[in-house]
PDB file of all heavy atoms in Angstrom:
ATOM      1  N   THR A1121      39.663  87.884 -30.154  1.00  0.00           N
ATOM      2  CA  THR A1121      39.801  88.038 -31.608  1.00  0.00           C
ATOM      3  C   THR A1121      41.036  87.321 -32.117  1.00  0.00           C
ATOM      4  O   THR A1121      41.007  86.684 -33.183  1.00  0.00           O
ATOM      5  CB  THR A1121      39.863  89.522 -31.986  1.00  0.00           C
ATOM      6  OG1 THR A1121      38.700  90.183 -31.492  1.00  0.00           O
ATOM      7  CG2 THR A1121      39.930  89.698 -33.493  1.00  0.00           C
ATOM      8  N   LEU A1122      42.137  87.399 -31.366  1.00  0.00           N
ATOM      9  CA  LEU A1122      43.363  86.717 -31.792  1.00  0.00           C
ATOM     10  C   LEU A1122      43.134  85.224 -31.920  1.00  0.00           C
ATOM     11  O   LEU A1122      43.480  84.618 -32.948  1.00  0.00           O
ATOM     12  CB  LEU A1122      44.489  86.995 -30.784  1.00  0.00           C
ATOM     13  CG  LEU A1122      45.789  86.213 -31.037  1.00  0.00           C
ATOM     14  CD1 LEU A1122      46.434  86.642 -32.340  1.00  0.00           C
ATOM     15  CD2 LEU A1122      46.762  86.379 -29.874  1.00  0.00           C
ATOM     16  N   VAL A1123      42.561  84.609 -30.905  1.00  0.00           N
ATOM     17  CA  VAL A1123      42.337  83.162 -30.946  1.00  0.00           C
ATOM     18  C   VAL A1123      41.408  82.795 -32.102  1.00  0.00           C
ATOM     19  O   VAL A1123      41.665  81.836 -32.850  1.00  0.00           O
ATOM     20  CB  VAL A1123      41.751  82.668 -29.606  1.00  0.00           C
ATOM     21  CG1 VAL A1123      41.401  81.185 -29.692  1.00  0.00           C
ATOM     22  CG2 VAL A1123      42.746  82.908 -28.474  1.00  0.00           C
ATOM     23  N   ALA A1124      40.328  83.555 -32.284  1.00  0.00           N
ATOM     24  CA  ALA A1124      39.373  83.258 -33.359  1.00  0.00           C
ATOM     25  C   ALA A1124      40.039  83.362 -34.732  1.00  0.00           C
ATOM     26  O   ALA A1124      39.826  82.507 -35.607  1.00  0.00           O
ATOM     27  CB  ALA A1124      38.179  84.208 -33.273  1.00  0.00           C
ATOM     28  N   LEU A1125      40.854  84.383 -34.923  1.00  0.00           N
ATOM     29  CA  LEU A1125      41.513  84.558 -36.221  1.00  0.00           C
ATOM     30  C   LEU A1125      42.561  83.479 -36.469  1.00  0.00           C
ATOM     31  O   LEU A1125      42.724  83.019 -37.610  1.00  0.00           O
ATOM     32  CB  LEU A1125      42.164  85.943 -36.289  1.00  0.00           C
ATOM     33  CG  LEU A1125      41.214  87.124 -36.489  1.00  0.00           C
ATOM     34  CD1 LEU A1125      41.987  88.438 -36.448  1.00  0.00           C
ATOM     35  CD2 LEU A1125      40.464  87.004 -37.805  1.00  0.00           C
ATOM     36  N   VAL A1126      43.290  83.089 -35.439  1.00  0.00           N
ATOM     37  CA  VAL A1126      44.303  82.039 -35.608  1.00  0.00           C
ATOM     38  C   VAL A1126      43.640  80.735 -36.052  1.00  0.00           C
ATOM     39  O   VAL A1126      44.109  80.067 -36.984  1.00  0.00           O
ATOM     40  CB  VAL A1126      45.094  81.840 -34.298  1.00  0.00           C
ATOM     41  CG1 VAL A1126      45.921  80.552 -34.368  1.00  0.00           C
ATOM     42  CG2 VAL A1126      46.008  83.027 -34.046  1.00  0.00           C
ATOM     43  N   VAL A1127      42.548  80.371 -35.402  1.00  0.00           N
ATOM     44  CA  VAL A1127      41.849  79.136 -35.764  1.00  0.00           C
ATOM     45  C   VAL A1127      41.286  79.241 -37.183  1.00  0.00           C
ATOM     46  O   VAL A1127      41.418  78.318 -37.998  1.00  0.00           O
ATOM     47  CB  VAL A1127      40.727  78.836 -34.749  1.00  0.00           C
ATOM     48  CG1 VAL A1127      39.885  77.654 -35.218  1.00  0.00           C
ATOM     49  CG2 VAL A1127      41.315  78.558 -33.369  1.00  0.00           C
ATOM     50  N   ALA A1128      40.649  80.385 -37.497  1.00  0.00           N
ATOM     51  CA  ALA A1128      40.085  80.564 -38.836  1.00  0.00           C
ATOM     52  C   ALA A1128      41.173  80.511 -39.903  1.00  0.00           C
ATOM     53  O   ALA A1128      40.994  79.886 -40.958  1.00  0.00           O
ATOM     54  CB  ALA A1128      39.333  81.892 -38.913  1.00  0.00           C
ATOM     55  N   ALA A1129      42.311  81.148 -39.633  1.00  0.00           N
ATOM     56  CA  ALA A1129      43.412  81.161 -40.608  1.00  0.00           C
ATOM     57  C   ALA A1129      43.980  79.768 -40.822  1.00  0.00           C
ATOM     58  O   ALA A1129      44.301  79.377 -41.957  1.00  0.00           O
ATOM     59  CB  ALA A1129      44.504  82.120 -40.140  1.00  0.00           C
ATOM     60  N   ALA A1130      44.113  78.982 -39.745  1.00  0.00           N
ATOM     61  CA  ALA A1130      44.653  77.633 -39.879  1.00  0.00           C
ATOM     62  C   ALA A1130      43.724  76.722 -40.679  1.00  0.00           C
ATOM     63  O   ALA A1130      44.181  75.785 -41.339  1.00  0.00           O
ATOM     64  CB  ALA A1130      44.906  77.042 -38.492  1.00  0.00           C
ATOM     65  N   LEU A1131      42.422  77.000 -40.618  1.00  0.00           N
ATOM     66  CA  LEU A1131      41.438  76.207 -41.359  1.00  0.00           C
ATOM     67  C   LEU A1131      41.162  76.750 -42.753  1.00  0.00           C
ATOM     68  O   LEU A1131      40.441  76.117 -43.529  1.00  0.00           O
ATOM     69  CB  LEU A1131      40.119  76.162 -40.576  1.00  0.00           C
ATOM     70  CG  LEU A1131      40.119  75.384 -39.266  1.00  0.00           C
ATOM     71  CD1 LEU A1131      38.831  75.646 -38.497  1.00  0.00           C
ATOM     72  CD2 LEU A1131      40.292  73.895 -39.517  1.00  0.00           C
ATOM     73  N   TRP A1132      41.714  77.909 -43.072  1.00  0.00           N
ATOM     74  CA  TRP A1132      41.349  78.607 -44.313  1.00  0.00           C
ATOM     75  C   TRP A1132      41.803  77.825 -45.531  1.00  0.00           C
ATOM     76  O   TRP A1132      42.874  77.233 -45.557  1.00  0.00           O
ATOM     77  CB  TRP A1132      41.991  79.983 -44.326  1.00  0.00           C
ATOM     78  CG  TRP A1132      41.273  80.981 -45.193  1.00  0.00           C
ATOM     79  CD1 TRP A1132      41.484  81.228 -46.508  1.00  0.00           C
ATOM     80  CD2 TRP A1132      40.241  81.878 -44.773  1.00  0.00           C
ATOM     81  NE1 TRP A1132      40.647  82.217 -46.958  1.00  0.00           N
ATOM     82  CE2 TRP A1132      39.867  82.640 -45.908  1.00  0.00           C
ATOM     83  CE3 TRP A1132      39.595  82.117 -43.576  1.00  0.00           C
ATOM     84  CZ2 TRP A1132      38.885  83.618 -45.859  1.00  0.00           C
ATOM     85  CZ3 TRP A1132      38.617  83.086 -43.523  1.00  0.00           C
ATOM     86  CH2 TRP A1132      38.269  83.825 -44.651  1.00  0.00           C
ATOM     87  N   ARG A1133      40.990  77.852 -46.556  1.00  0.00           N
ATOM     88  CA  ARG A1133      41.335  77.261 -47.853  1.00  0.00           C
ATOM     89  C   ARG A1133      41.084  78.287 -48.940  1.00  0.00           C
ATOM     90  O   ARG A1133      39.988  78.855 -48.981  1.00  0.00           O
ATOM     91  CB  ARG A1133      40.497  75.999 -48.116  1.00  0.00           C
ATOM     92  CG  ARG A1133      40.763  74.878 -47.103  1.00  0.00           C
ATOM     93  CD  ARG A1133      42.185  74.341 -47.230  1.00  0.00           C
ATOM     94  NE  ARG A1133      42.438  73.323 -46.210  1.00  0.00           N
ATOM     95  CZ  ARG A1133      42.981  73.575 -45.029  1.00  0.00           C
ATOM     96  NH1 ARG A1133      43.339  74.819 -44.703  1.00  0.00           N
ATOM     97  NH2 ARG A1133      43.181  72.592 -44.180  1.00  0.00           N
ATOM     98  N   PRO A1134      42.059  78.608 -49.786  1.00  0.00           N
ATOM     99  CA  PRO A1134      43.393  78.020 -49.815  1.00  0.00           C
ATOM    100  C   PRO A1134      44.274  78.514 -48.665  1.00  0.00           C
ATOM    101  O   PRO A1134      44.068  79.611 -48.142  1.00  0.00           O
ATOM    102  CB  PRO A1134      43.953  78.462 -51.172  1.00  0.00           C
ATOM    103  CG  PRO A1134      43.207  79.705 -51.505  1.00  0.00           C
ATOM    104  CD  PRO A1134      41.834  79.556 -50.913  1.00  0.00           C
ATOM    105  N   ALA A1135      45.258  77.709 -48.311  1.00  0.00           N
ATOM    106  CA  ALA A1135      46.057  77.967 -47.117  1.00  0.00           C
ATOM    107  C   ALA A1135      46.887  79.244 -47.235  1.00  0.00           C
ATOM    108  O   ALA A1135      47.141  79.901 -46.235  1.00  0.00           O
ATOM    109  CB  ALA A1135      46.972  76.776 -46.827  1.00  0.00           C
ATOM    110  N   ARG A1136      47.308  79.596 -48.452  1.00  0.00           N
ATOM    111  CA  ARG A1136      48.125  80.810 -48.581  1.00  0.00           C
ATOM    112  C   ARG A1136      47.324  82.058 -48.246  1.00  0.00           C
ATOM    113  O   ARG A1136      47.861  83.029 -47.720  1.00  0.00           O
ATOM    114  CB  ARG A1136      48.699  80.904 -50.000  1.00  0.00           C
ATOM    115  CG  ARG A1136      49.815  79.902 -50.239  1.00  0.00           C
ATOM    116  CD  ARG A1136      50.494  80.118 -51.565  1.00  0.00           C
ATOM    117  NE  ARG A1136      51.588  79.190 -51.763  1.00  0.00           N
ATOM    118  CZ  ARG A1136      52.350  79.151 -52.838  1.00  0.00           C
ATOM    119  NH1 ARG A1136      52.123  80.014 -53.830  1.00  0.00           N
ATOM    120  NH2 ARG A1136      53.323  78.282 -52.939  1.00  0.00           N
ATOM    121  N   GLN A1137      46.044  82.039 -48.530  1.00  0.00           N
ATOM    122  CA  GLN A1137      45.208  83.168 -48.115  1.00  0.00           C
ATOM    123  C   GLN A1137      45.012  83.145 -46.603  1.00  0.00           C
ATOM    124  O   GLN A1137      44.954  84.192 -45.957  1.00  0.00           O
ATOM    125  CB  GLN A1137      43.869  83.116 -48.843  1.00  0.00           C
ATOM    126  CG  GLN A1137      43.989  83.393 -50.335  1.00  0.00           C
ATOM    127  CD  GLN A1137      42.651  83.402 -51.032  1.00  0.00           C
ATOM    128  OE1 GLN A1137      41.605  83.538 -50.395  1.00  0.00           O
ATOM    129  NE2 GLN A1137      42.661  83.272 -52.354  1.00  0.00           N
ATOM    130  N   GLY A1138      44.930  81.954 -46.027  1.00  0.00           N
ATOM    131  CA  GLY A1138      44.880  81.853 -44.574  1.00  0.00           C
ATOM    132  C   GLY A1138      46.131  82.425 -43.939  1.00  0.00           C
ATOM    133  O   GLY A1138      46.072  83.039 -42.865  1.00  0.00           O
ATOM    134  N   ALA A1139      47.275  82.253 -44.598  1.00  0.00           N
ATOM    135  CA  ALA A1139      48.523  82.823 -44.082  1.00  0.00           C
ATOM    136  C   ALA A1139      48.460  84.342 -44.052  1.00  0.00           C
ATOM    137  O   ALA A1139      48.975  84.980 -43.131  1.00  0.00           O
ATOM    138  CB  ALA A1139      49.710  82.363 -44.937  1.00  0.00           C
ATOM    139  N   ALA A1140      47.812  84.945 -45.047  1.00  0.00           N
ATOM    140  CA  ALA A1140      47.665  86.409 -45.056  1.00  0.00           C
ATOM    141  C   ALA A1140      46.794  86.872 -43.899  1.00  0.00           C
ATOM    142  O   ALA A1140      47.086  87.882 -43.241  1.00  0.00           O
ATOM    143  CB  ALA A1140      47.071  86.866 -46.384  1.00  0.00           C
ATOM    144  N   LEU A1141      45.709  86.131 -43.626  1.00  0.00           N
ATOM    145  CA  LEU A1141      44.852  86.471 -42.493  1.00  0.00           C
ATOM    146  C   LEU A1141      45.606  86.311 -41.180  1.00  0.00           C
ATOM    147  O   LEU A1141      45.508  87.164 -40.283  1.00  0.00           O
ATOM    148  CB  LEU A1141      43.609  85.582 -42.505  1.00  0.00           C
ATOM    149  CG  LEU A1141      42.598  85.806 -41.376  1.00  0.00           C
ATOM    150  CD1 LEU A1141      42.008  87.213 -41.441  1.00  0.00           C
ATOM    151  CD2 LEU A1141      41.484  84.761 -41.439  1.00  0.00           C
ATOM    152  N   LEU A1142      46.368  85.239 -41.067  1.00  0.00           N
ATOM    153  CA  LEU A1142      47.149  85.012 -39.844  1.00  0.00           C
ATOM    154  C   LEU A1142      48.206  86.097 -39.669  1.00  0.00           C
ATOM    155  O   LEU A1142      48.428  86.587 -38.546  1.00  0.00           O
ATOM    156  CB  LEU A1142      47.805  83.633 -39.905  1.00  0.00           C
ATOM    157  CG  LEU A1142      48.650  83.228 -38.694  1.00  0.00           C
ATOM    158  CD1 LEU A1142      47.840  83.294 -37.409  1.00  0.00           C
ATOM    159  CD2 LEU A1142      49.241  81.833 -38.890  1.00  0.00           C
ATOM    160  N   ALA A1143      48.853  86.497 -40.754  1.00  0.00           N
ATOM    161  CA  ALA A1143      49.843  87.576 -40.664  1.00  0.00           C
ATOM    162  C   ALA A1143      49.205  88.863 -40.159  1.00  0.00           C
ATOM    163  O   ALA A1143      49.777  89.575 -39.327  1.00  0.00           O
ATOM    164  CB  ALA A1143      50.494  87.806 -42.026  1.00  0.00           C
ATOM    165  N   GLY A1144      48.003  89.168 -40.659  1.00  0.00           N
ATOM    166  CA  GLY A1144      47.306  90.361 -40.197  1.00  0.00           C
ATOM    167  C   GLY A1144      47.003  90.320 -38.714  1.00  0.00           C
ATOM    168  O   GLY A1144      47.039  91.346 -38.032  1.00  0.00           O
ATOM    169  N   ALA A1145      46.705  89.116 -38.185  1.00  0.00           N
ATOM    170  CA  ALA A1145      46.418  88.982 -36.759  1.00  0.00           C
ATOM    171  C   ALA A1145      47.682  89.053 -35.917  1.00  0.00           C
ATOM    172  O   ALA A1145      47.672  89.585 -34.797  1.00  0.00           O
ATOM    173  CB  ALA A1145      45.693  87.663 -36.495  1.00  0.00           C
ATOM    174  N   VAL A1146      48.782  88.527 -36.447  1.00  0.00           N
ATOM    175  CA  VAL A1146      50.021  88.452 -35.665  1.00  0.00           C
ATOM    176  C   VAL A1146      50.749  89.789 -35.615  1.00  0.00           C
ATOM    177  O   VAL A1146      51.381  90.128 -34.601  1.00  0.00           O
ATOM    178  CB  VAL A1146      50.936  87.348 -36.247  1.00  0.00           C
ATOM    179  CG1 VAL A1146      52.326  87.395 -35.615  1.00  0.00           C
ATOM    180  CG2 VAL A1146      50.304  85.978 -36.026  1.00  0.00           C
ATOM    181  N   ILE A1147      50.665  90.575 -36.683  1.00  0.00           N
ATOM    182  CA  ILE A1147      51.430  91.829 -36.749  1.00  0.00           C
ATOM    183  C   ILE A1147      51.131  92.751 -35.560  1.00  0.00           C
ATOM    184  O   ILE A1147      52.072  93.274 -34.935  1.00  0.00           O
ATOM    185  CB  ILE A1147      51.175  92.539 -38.090  1.00  0.00           C
ATOM    186  CG1 ILE A1147      51.925  91.811 -39.211  1.00  0.00           C
ATOM    187  CG2 ILE A1147      51.602  94.007 -38.044  1.00  0.00           C
ATOM    188  CD1 ILE A1147      51.603  92.302 -40.601  1.00  0.00           C
ATOM    189  N   PRO A1148      49.873  93.009 -35.173  1.00  0.00           N
ATOM    190  CA  PRO A1148      49.645  93.861 -34.003  1.00  0.00           C
ATOM    191  C   PRO A1148      50.192  93.268 -32.708  1.00  0.00           C
ATOM    192  O   PRO A1148      50.620  94.009 -31.811  1.00  0.00           O
ATOM    193  CB  PRO A1148      48.109  93.974 -33.941  1.00  0.00           C
ATOM    194  CG  PRO A1148      47.647  93.664 -35.314  1.00  0.00           C
ATOM    195  CD  PRO A1148      48.603  92.651 -35.831  1.00  0.00           C
ATOM    196  N   MET A1149      50.211  91.936 -32.596  1.00  0.00           N
ATOM    197  CA  MET A1149      50.753  91.316 -31.394  1.00  0.00           C
ATOM    198  C   MET A1149      52.270  91.452 -31.355  1.00  0.00           C
ATOM    199  O   MET A1149      52.872  91.634 -30.290  1.00  0.00           O
ATOM    200  CB  MET A1149      50.340  89.842 -31.330  1.00  0.00           C
ATOM    201  CG  MET A1149      48.841  89.601 -31.491  1.00  0.00           C
ATOM    202  SD  MET A1149      47.795  90.657 -30.441  1.00  0.00           S
ATOM    203  CE  MET A1149      48.129  89.994 -28.821  1.00  0.00           C
ATOM    204  N   VAL A1150      52.905  91.360 -32.518  1.00  0.00           N
ATOM    205  CA  VAL A1150      54.339  91.634 -32.592  1.00  0.00           C
ATOM    206  C   VAL A1150      54.612  93.076 -32.188  1.00  0.00           C
ATOM    207  O   VAL A1150      55.584  93.378 -31.461  1.00  0.00           O
ATOM    208  CB  VAL A1150      54.871  91.354 -34.014  1.00  0.00           C
ATOM    209  CG1 VAL A1150      56.312  91.832 -34.163  1.00  0.00           C
ATOM    210  CG2 VAL A1150      54.774  89.869 -34.335  1.00  0.00           C
ATOM    211  N   ALA A1151      53.753  93.984 -32.640  1.00  0.00           N
ATOM    212  CA  ALA A1151      53.914  95.402 -32.307  1.00  0.00           C
ATOM    213  C   ALA A1151      53.858  95.625 -30.799  1.00  0.00           C
ATOM    214  O   ALA A1151      54.587  96.461 -30.253  1.00  0.00           O
ATOM    215  CB  ALA A1151      52.841  96.230 -33.002  1.00  0.00           C
ATOM    216  N   GLN A1152      53.007  94.868 -30.096  1.00  0.00           N
ATOM    217  CA  GLN A1152      52.925  95.001 -28.644  1.00  0.00           C
ATOM    218  C   GLN A1152      54.218  94.556 -27.977  1.00  0.00           C
ATOM    219  O   GLN A1152      54.685  95.177 -27.017  1.00  0.00           O
ATOM    220  CB  GLN A1152      51.747  94.182 -28.112  1.00  0.00           C
ATOM    221  CG  GLN A1152      50.383  94.658 -28.579  1.00  0.00           C
ATOM    222  CD  GLN A1152      50.130  96.107 -28.224  1.00  0.00           C
ATOM    223  OE1 GLN A1152      50.118  96.484 -27.049  1.00  0.00           O
ATOM    224  NE2 GLN A1152      49.933  96.934 -29.236  1.00  0.00           N
ATOM    225  N   ALA A1153      54.822  93.484 -28.479  1.00  0.00           N
ATOM    226  CA  ALA A1153      56.094  93.019 -27.926  1.00  0.00           C
ATOM    227  C   ALA A1153      57.205  94.033 -28.188  1.00  0.00           C
ATOM    228  O   ALA A1153      58.024  94.316 -27.307  1.00  0.00           O
ATOM    229  CB  ALA A1153      56.452  91.665 -28.528  1.00  0.00           C
ATOM    230  N   VAL A1154      57.228  94.581 -29.395  1.00  0.00           N
ATOM    231  CA  VAL A1154      58.242  95.598 -29.720  1.00  0.00           C
ATOM    232  C   VAL A1154      58.077  96.818 -28.817  1.00  0.00           C
ATOM    233  O   VAL A1154      59.050  97.394 -28.338  1.00  0.00           O
ATOM    234  CB  VAL A1154      58.142  95.990 -31.207  1.00  0.00           C
ATOM    235  CG1 VAL A1154      59.058  97.170 -31.512  1.00  0.00           C
ATOM    236  CG2 VAL A1154      58.491  94.798 -32.095  1.00  0.00           C
ATOM    237  N   SER A1155      56.832  97.213 -28.559  1.00  0.00           N
ATOM    238  CA  SER A1155      56.573  98.348 -27.678  1.00  0.00           C
ATOM    239  C   SER A1155      57.143  98.115 -26.283  1.00  0.00           C
ATOM    240  O   SER A1155      57.741  99.015 -25.685  1.00  0.00           O
ATOM    241  CB  SER A1155      55.062  98.601 -27.589  1.00  0.00           C
ATOM    242  OG  SER A1155      54.768  99.600 -26.645  1.00  0.00           O
ATOM    243  N   ALA A1156      56.970  96.896 -25.768  1.00  0.00           N
ATOM    244  CA  ALA A1156      57.499  96.588 -24.436  1.00  0.00           C
ATOM    245  C   ALA A1156      59.020  96.653 -24.416  1.00  0.00           C
ATOM    246  O   ALA A1156      59.624  97.133 -23.434  1.00  0.00           O
ATOM    247  CB  ALA A1156      57.028  95.208 -23.997  1.00  0.00           C
ATOM    248  N   LEU A1157      59.664  96.204 -25.492  1.00  0.00           N
ATOM    249  CA  LEU A1157      61.122  96.253 -25.552  1.00  0.00           C
ATOM    250  C   LEU A1157      61.619  97.690 -25.679  1.00  0.00           C
ATOM    251  O   LEU A1157      62.650  98.056 -25.092  1.00  0.00           O
ATOM    252  CB  LEU A1157      61.617  95.408 -26.728  1.00  0.00           C
ATOM    253  CG  LEU A1157      61.374  93.898 -26.597  1.00  0.00           C
ATOM    254  CD1 LEU A1157      61.784  93.176 -27.879  1.00  0.00           C
ATOM    255  CD2 LEU A1157      62.141  93.338 -25.403  1.00  0.00           C
ATOM    256  N   VAL A1158      60.892  98.507 -26.450  1.00  0.00           N
ATOM    257  CA  VAL A1158      61.263  99.920 -26.568  1.00  0.00           C
ATOM    258  C   VAL A1158      61.173 100.609 -25.210  1.00  0.00           C
ATOM    259  O   VAL A1158      62.023 101.431 -24.846  1.00  0.00           O
ATOM    260  CB  VAL A1158      60.373 100.633 -27.606  1.00  0.00           C
ATOM    261  CG1 VAL A1158      60.582 102.147 -27.556  1.00  0.00           C
ATOM    262  CG2 VAL A1158      60.663 100.109 -29.004  1.00  0.00           C
ATOM    263  N   GLN A1159      60.158 100.250 -24.451  1.00  0.00           N
ATOM    264  CA  GLN A1159      59.962 100.875 -23.141  1.00  0.00           C
ATOM    265  C   GLN A1159      61.107 100.556 -22.188  1.00  0.00           C
ATOM    266  O   GLN A1159      61.402 101.341 -21.273  1.00  0.00           O
ATOM    267  CB  GLN A1159      58.633 100.406 -22.544  1.00  0.00           C
ATOM    268  CG  GLN A1159      58.216 101.175 -21.302  1.00  0.00           C
ATOM    269  CD  GLN A1159      56.788 100.864 -20.898  1.00  0.00           C
ATOM    270  OE1 GLN A1159      55.987 100.443 -21.734  1.00  0.00           O
ATOM    271  NE2 GLN A1159      56.483 101.066 -19.636  1.00  0.00           N
ATOM    272  N   LEU A1160      61.773  99.421 -22.392  1.00  0.00           N
ATOM    273  CA  LEU A1160      62.908  99.076 -21.541  1.00  0.00           C
ATOM    274  C   LEU A1160      64.030 100.106 -21.643  1.00  0.00           C
ATOM    275  O   LEU A1160      64.770 100.323 -20.683  1.00  0.00           O
ATOM    276  CB  LEU A1160      63.465  97.695 -21.928  1.00  0.00           C
ATOM    277  CG  LEU A1160      62.677  96.467 -21.478  1.00  0.00           C
ATOM    278  CD1 LEU A1160      63.350  95.199 -21.977  1.00  0.00           C
ATOM    279  CD2 LEU A1160      62.559  96.441 -19.964  1.00  0.00           C
ATOM    280  N   GLY A1161      64.173 100.711 -22.813  1.00  0.00           N
ATOM    281  CA  GLY A1161      65.244 101.687 -23.017  1.00  0.00           C
ATOM    282  C   GLY A1161      64.905 103.080 -22.535  1.00  0.00           C
ATOM    283  O   GLY A1161      65.743 103.987 -22.630  1.00  0.00           O
ATOM    284  N   GLU A1162      63.683 103.274 -22.045  1.00  0.00           N
ATOM    285  CA  GLU A1162      63.271 104.595 -21.577  1.00  0.00           C
ATOM    286  C   GLU A1162      63.484 104.726 -20.067  1.00  0.00           C
ATOM    287  O   GLU A1162      63.352 103.756 -19.315  1.00  0.00           O
ATOM    288  CB  GLU A1162      61.791 104.834 -21.908  1.00  0.00           C
ATOM    289  CG  GLU A1162      61.490 104.817 -23.388  1.00  0.00           C
ATOM    290  CD  GLU A1162      60.009 105.036 -23.673  1.00  0.00           C
ATOM    291  OE1 GLU A1162      59.223 105.101 -22.710  1.00  0.00           O
ATOM    292  OE2 GLU A1162      59.654 105.159 -24.848  1.00  0.00           O
ATOM    293  N   ALA A1163      63.800 105.924 -19.645  1.00  0.00           N
ATOM    294  CA  ALA A1163      63.971 106.182 -18.219  1.00  0.00           C
ATOM    295  C   ALA A1163      62.618 106.104 -17.515  1.00  0.00           C
ATOM    296  O   ALA A1163      61.598 106.526 -18.066  1.00  0.00           O
ATOM    297  CB  ALA A1163      64.598 107.555 -18.004  1.00  0.00           C
ATOM    298  N   THR A1164      62.621 105.539 -16.318  1.00  0.00           N
ATOM    299  CA  THR A1164      61.387 105.397 -15.540  1.00  0.00           C
ATOM    300  C   THR A1164      61.299 106.525 -14.527  1.00  0.00           C
ATOM    301  O   THR A1164      62.200 106.712 -13.709  1.00  0.00           O
ATOM    302  CB  THR A1164      61.357 104.053 -14.802  1.00  0.00           C
ATOM    303  OG1 THR A1164      61.524 103.002 -15.754  1.00  0.00           O
ATOM    304  CG2 THR A1164      60.045 103.868 -14.066  1.00  0.00           C
ATOM    305  N   SER A1165      60.217 107.285 -14.584  1.00  0.00           N
ATOM    306  CA  SER A1165      60.032 108.405 -13.662  1.00  0.00           C
ATOM    307  C   SER A1165      59.541 107.903 -12.309  1.00  0.00           C
ATOM    308  O   SER A1165      58.638 107.042 -12.254  1.00  0.00           O
ATOM    309  CB  SER A1165      59.022 109.396 -14.249  1.00  0.00           C
ATOM    310  OG  SER A1165      58.672 110.361 -13.291  1.00  0.00           O
ATOM    311  N   PRO A1166      60.095 108.428 -11.182  1.00  0.00           N
ATOM    312  CA  PRO A1166      59.581 108.029  -9.858  1.00  0.00           C
ATOM    313  C   PRO A1166      58.127 108.435  -9.653  1.00  0.00           C
ATOM    314  O   PRO A1166      57.438 107.857  -8.819  1.00  0.00           O
ATOM    315  CB  PRO A1166      60.517 108.756  -8.883  1.00  0.00           C
ATOM    316  CG  PRO A1166      61.144 109.854  -9.672  1.00  0.00           C
ATOM    317  CD  PRO A1166      61.224 109.363 -11.079  1.00  0.00           C
TER     318      PRO A1166
END
């Protein structure tokens, strides 16, 4: 879905609306990266 949305957004006309679609696709992926960084600060149970 990420790849499909990125391609569709880059081809979208008008481009500013494509940017909104791309932002919607990127935000959850940013959230995944933030989650991984948050997990670094948590203690790891044996």
Side-chain angles (χ1 to χ4, degrees):
T1121 303
L1122 174 66
V1123 175
L1125 285 176
V1126 167
V1127 173
L1131 292 170
W1132 204 270
R1133 297 294 177 267
R1136 287 187 178 180
Q1137 291 183 18
L1141 180 63
L1142 181 56
V1146 170
I1147 285 172
M1149 308 311 290
V1150 171
Q1152 296 303 299
V1154 172
S1155 174
L1157 293 175
V1158 170
Q1159 190 169 336
L1160 284 179
E1162 298 179 355
T1164 304
S1165 171

